[in-house]
Amino acid sequence: MPDASSLPGGRASTRLDVAIVGGGLAGLYAIHRLRGMGLHVRAFEAGSDVGGTWFWNRYPGARCDVESLEYSYAFSDELQQEWKWPERYGTQPEILRYINHVADRFDLRRDVQLDTRVMSAVFDGKANAWTLTTDKGDVVRARFCVMAAGNLSTPRVPDFKGIGDFKGKWYHSGLWPHDGVDFSGLRVAVIGTGSSGVQMIPIIARQAKHLHVFQRTANFSLPARNAPMDPDRERRHKADYPARRRAAFDTPFAIAGYPKPTKSALQASPEERRAAYEAKWQEGGSISFLYAYTDLLVNKEANDTAAEFVRDKIRGIVKDPKTAELLAPKDHPIGTKRLCLDTGYYETYNRDNVTLVDVRSDPIQEITATGLRTASGADYALDAIVFATGFDAMTGALREIDIRTTDGASLADKWAGGPLTYLGLMVSGFPNMFIITGPGSPGVKTQMIASIEQHTDWIANCVAHMRRRDLDRIEPTPEAEAAWVQHVNAVADSTLYPLANSWYLGANIPGKPRVFMPYVGGFDAYKRRCDAVAANGYEGFEFSRQPATVA
Ligand code: N01
């Protein structure tokens, strides 16, 4: 059992095999998987309950954009057979209910310490162990540290002048009040038109007296076509669940069931293309749309055909031509920023109580006591402001933890020019620290839970390998890490992704290094690579054992 002893000052010192940072989907599966190997584990979670992203993001309309039968754990067939998803796409409350069910069903809660934020993590190179400290005064020693802290878990409110003077209420999508917000009769602003903004805007518009949407960059959005779960579809899916999950390993997005495209968009006639895009538009969903042709994400001319199809749809839906033109994205290829899925988003701009404000041409200058002022001097009177302004993505959560080694290295310094990892799983110079779906991993470009399970299983097998050989230290070689980073960049550069100012590139955070962070070579290629690395004796990693053990 973990050993808890007292330190001077009354702080508890705990010894673990694995300290896990985060109690969301990744942290919970890590507990289950690693505890199942007989390891002593504990997860530290800043929130007052489990769930991570789905615990925090409670804004109106929050819903997953991956279908519910896919966006769920695969590790237990009983679980996936028994759980009933009521709709095609899971709502935030439904997904949180599912996560809580999993936590109870697999008795995971006893190894989650809630309301506890990890503040620092220091690797002791003599003992080959991490020491973590928390904001509650805990000191935790662990052989391994698993960072399951999320990619979109550090909400960001832009540094607008005057925000402290605002007399109304303001909210961020990722820090939503648990008892909800009633916007009835209020003059509301939503700033930001990414996935969060696009989901909440139609709902807030129905409540508010007036809604101003402050848009800096128009985003492409496709209809989700959410609907109650079709019982036949559910039955067919469940009859085939394990095979579908296995088949997902051989797809770029970790989701099976989308026929692989066979030709370039430029090989199809304009009529054929239009019919194909129309069929995908009617079907709903983003992956299927981007998978219509082989080259939508790699060839600008091919991409233009899909982008223009969606722009035409927007022009067809939005009645005011000026608003429609502002909503029609023209500054990035479709799919190079996260493609949004919506329910009635563009239609919302036909309402009399909704106004779109272009803050690209007239930026927000300050928040005032009574609202918001743009650079041109236009004043907007507001009772509430909603920031749907995103997150310090992919590196933000780790940047908030002071991660160091006793040799004097700091992760913040190492990543000052952009994150460096081997396989997205480990960082050279920071032994025994695993990252789940971090930079350099395909996680955020896939069905996230599939990536979480794949990463965690790989980590668990690696730890088992070390135990069999009585090894207590692993880290990637600098050469393997450099080669992986180069490969991640080369793959990104062979696509259209770098053409967009997205959070994939850190572009939404002023001053953040402009480095493309996810691996976009596909989940299939990534998994094959991880499997080959393990099969080749963990190629690119160095193992060792030191006489000193965790003291
Ligand atoms: O954040 P975002 P998000 N002045 O960064 C704007 C996942 N997710 O929370 O593009 C004015 O995408 C910013 O403008 P610009 C999903 O992976 C999934 O919406 O930087 N505007 C942009 O419009 C998603 O991609 C789901 O010019 C400012 C917006 O704020 C990721 O989370 C649901 C500004 C931020 O968009 C993040 O989505 C929700 C400023 N100073 C989220 N600063 C589903 O599964 C920023 N903006 C459906």
Side-chain angles (χ1 to χ4, degrees):
M1 290 299 293
D3 168 26
S5 51
S6 276
L7 285 178
R11 296 184 307 177
S13 160
T14 303
R15 287 178 201 167
L16 301 168
D17 294 317
V18 188
I20 299 165
V21 181
L25 285 159
L28 290 176
Y29 181 58
I31 294 173
H32 177 69
R33 186 67 173 79
L34 297 168
R35 202 173 66 185
M37 294 164 58
L39 295 170
H40 304 316
V41 306
R42 182 177 296 174
F44 299 88
E45 166 55 52
S48 59
D49 208 342
V50 298
T53 282
W54 299 105
F55 173 82
W56 296 103
N57 285 267
R58 296 166 186 249
Y59 60 84
R63 189 186 279 282
C64 189
D65 56 6
V66 173
E67 295 193 35
S68 48
L69 285 164
E70 297 290 350
Y71 190 83
S72 48
Y73 288 116
F75 70 84
S76 159
D77 195 41
E78 291 75 26
L79 170 68
Q80 66 185 4
Q81 295 296 341
E82 284 168 27
W83 186 264
K84 287 194 78 67
W85 293 101
E87 292 178 85
R88 180 175 176 186
Y89 301 92
T91 60
Q92 175 272 329
E94 188 61 38
I95 297 170
L96 190 58
R97 199 166 74 78
Y98 167 77
I99 296 172
N100 275 280
H101 169 81
V102 172
D104 292 333
R105 181 174 182 139
F106 297 95
D107 190 21
L108 305 178
R109 283 182 202 283
R110 67 182 156 93
D111 287 318
V112 186
Q113 185 171 322
L114 298 170
D115 294 309
T116 306
R117 187 173 285 280
V118 172
M119 304 303 288
S120 71
V122 180
F123 183 74
D124 176 348
K126 290 209 171 61
N128 284 344
W130 284 92
T131 300
L132 280 68
T133 59
T134 75
D135 62 349
K136 295 290 179 294
D138 308 281
V139 179
V140 182
R141 290 274 272 181
R143 170 76 64 219
F144 299 101
C145 181
V146 171
M147 296 297 184
N151 287 293
L152 295 157
S153 49
T154 314
R156 179 189 162 260
V157 175
D159 192 13
F160 290 125
K161 186 178 148 206
I163 197 166
D165 302 332
F166 183 54
K167 292 215 181 79
K169 292 225 163 98
W170 64 264
Y171 310 91
H172 187 284
S173 60
L175 292 169
W176 206 258
H178 284 203
D179 37 8
V181 182
D182 181 5
F183 292 106
S184 300
L186 301 184
R187 297 162 304 173
V188 183
V190 172
I191 303 175
T193 50
S195 301
S196 305
V198 162
Q199 287 189 324
M200 68 172 73
I201 284 165
I203 295 175
I204 296 178
R206 292 203 290 271
Q207 292 177 5
K209 181 170 163 205
H210 198 95
L211 171 64
H212 279 96
V213 176
F214 293 84
Q215 172 186 278
R216 186 165 69 181
T217 309
N219 241 324
F220 289 99
S221 186
L222 304 178
R225 309 243 181 254
N226 186 43
M229 181 61 71
D230 171 358
D232 278 346
R233 190 168 174 193
E234 181 184 12
R235 196 179 28 75
R236 283 197 310 274
H237 200 108
K238 287 189 169 177
D240 230 9
Y241 236 145
R244 289 184 76 107
R245 299 288 199 187
R246 276 194 305 278
F249 291 158
D250 294 321
T251 69
F253 311 107
I255 302 178
Y258 296 113
K260 211 171 171 162
T262 52
K263 67 177 180 185
S264 156
L266 303 177
Q267 289 172 318
S269 68
E271 297 71 37
E272 192 184 340
R273 273 198 306 260
R274 174 155 276 281
Y277 294 144
E278 182 64 37
K280 303 284 186 183
W281 177 272
Q282 293 306 331
E283 179 187 329
S286 55
I287 292 172
S288 156
F289 190 89
L290 292 172
Y291 223 31
Y293 293 105
T294 52
D295 51 355
L296 293 183
L297 290 170
V298 294
N299 180 324
K300 176 73 168 52
E301 206 185 333
N303 186 286
D304 284 344
T305 64
E308 194 52 26
F309 172 87
V310 176
R311 283 192 286 264
D312 275 347
K313 284 286 186 194
I314 298 168
R315 292 175 186 123
I317 297 169
V318 180
K319 294 194 178 120
D320 173 44
K322 198 165 157 255
T323 305
E325 235 20 74
L326 271 179
L327 287 167
K330 294 172 200 87
D331 74 335
H332 63 280
I334 187 167
T336 54
K337 291 182 103 153
R338 174 79 171 210
L339 196 46
C340 302
L341 286 193
D342 70 274
T343 302
Y345 176 65
Y346 294 116
E347 290 82 349
T348 298
Y349 293 92
N350 293 332
R351 295 176 66 100
D352 292 338
N353 71 333
V354 176
T355 309
L356 182 66
V357 183
D358 174 19
V359 293
R360 169 75 60 200
S361 61
D362 186 13
I364 298 168
Q365 189 174 50
E366 61 181 310
I367 310 288
T368 64
T370 54
L372 183 159
R373 183 171 302 140
T374 58
S376 68
D379 271 310
Y380 297 87
L382 300 168
D383 303 305
I385 301 177
V386 178
F387 293 98
T389 45
F391 301 85
D392 184 354
M394 304 203 71
T395 51
L398 294 194
R399 213 160 52 170
E400 289 199 336
I401 304 170
D402 186 12
I403 300 174
R404 298 177 176 275
T405 70
T406 48
D407 296 339
S410 108
L411 191 70
D413 289 347
K414 169 147 185 167
W415 283 9
L420 305 169
T421 68
Y422 179 39
L423 299 171
L425 287 167
M426 294 199 86
V427 182
S428 109
F430 294 82
N432 295 6
M433 179 182 83
F434 296 102
I435 306 172
I436 300 188
T437 71
S441 138
V444 296
K445 297 299 304 163
T446 67
Q447 196 278 85
M448 186 54 111
I449 305 178
S451 285
I452 285 170
E453 291 183 306
Q454 182 269 340
H455 286 46
T456 308
D457 289 346
W458 191 95
I459 293 165
N461 291 335
C462 177
V463 170
H465 169 91
M466 291 176 69
R467 289 169 96 200
R468 281 195 299 274
R469 285 162 182 75
D470 203 18
L471 301 164
D472 61 17
R473 177 175 172 134
I474 173 174
E475 69 178 300
T477 65
E479 295 76 25
E481 180 180 87
W484 181 251
V485 170
Q486 197 181 19
H487 175 60
V488 170
N489 290 333
V491 172
D493 287 342
S494 70
T495 70
L496 302 175
Y497 282 106
L499 298 183
N501 287 320
S502 64
W503 57 258
Y504 301 141
L505 261 173
N508 62 323
I509 303 292
K512 191 165 172 172
R514 200 181 162 92
V515 175
F516 195 85
M517 295 181 282
Y519 176 61
V520 287
F523 179 84
D524 42 357
Y526 175 80
K527 183 175 185 305
R528 280 197 301 273
R529 180 69 181 267
C530 288
D531 291 348
V533 163
N536 291 335
Y538 292 91
E539 203 172 18
F541 289 97
E542 274 172 350
F543 294 95
S544 60
R545 177 163 56 88
Q546 299 206 354
T549 50
V550 182

